[in-house]
Amino acid sequence: QVQLVESGGGSVQAGGSLRLSCVASAYTYSRPYMGWFRQAPGKEREGVATISTIGVSSTYYADSVKGRFTISRDNAKNTLYLQMNSLKPDDTAMYYCAASSIAGRLYPVYSYEYNYWGQGTQVTVSS
């Protein structure tokens, strides 16, 4: 069964923090690549952070979030996290959890490289 359920979004002032969670079914959590994407109104969906479980876990971050966001996994809970610190108004978007069984490279960062998606959780950052 394919299932990804995000939570943790909300409204926060600039400089604040949020932690997003994504609970996955066992099948989906076992996919080799998982990631967080975001989509703001009128913009394309963009990769924020990804993590690979092939060999030693490897992570990728978009330049816009490096040093502020951290992606992690809790294998005991089948849960993917995104810790977001020093939030900015530009971080306002719908955030999606995704998993991939079709990516052909170590750091899949484009939405077309992912074939399983959650319903999204809204993050709003005010100035």
Side-chain angles (χ1 to χ4, degrees), residues 36-98:
W36 288 96
F37 288 74
R38 66 186 181 186
Q39 187 167 20
K43 294 187 177 181
E44 293 187 357
R45 191 169 297 188
E46 64 170 342
V48 174
T50 64
I51 187 166
S52 166
T53 61
I54 296 177
V56 177
S57 287
S58 301
T59 57
Y60 158 86
Y61 296 94
D63 287 343
S64 58
V65 307
K66 276 181 183 176
R68 301 188 298 122
F69 291 10
T70 303
I71 189 171
S72 63
R73 301 170 62 123
D74 185 334
N75 295 335
K77 298 180 178 179
N78 285 358
T79 302
L80 182 73
Y81 298 102
L82 184 69
Q83 177 67 43
M84 305 186 296
N85 298 328
S86 302
L87 283 162
K88 305 174 180 180
D90 284 348
D91 296 319
T92 295
M94 184 72 78
Y95 283 71
Y96 298 90
C97 174

Side-chain angles (χ1 to χ4, degrees), residues 1-9 19-26 28-29 34-36 77-82 94-99 116-122:
Q1 181 182 3
V2 177
Q3 186 178 23
L4 294 166
V5 180
E6 302 99 330
S7 63
R19 187 177 80 156
L20 305 183
S21 299
C22 172
V23 179
S25 63
T28 311
Y29 193 78
M34 295 191 75
W36 288 96
K77 298 180 178 179
N78 285 358
T79 302
L80 182 73
Y81 298 102
L82 184 69
M94 184 72 78
Y95 283 71
Y96 298 90
C97 174
Y116 304 111
W117 293 89
Q119 82 289 350
T121 185
Q122 178 68 37

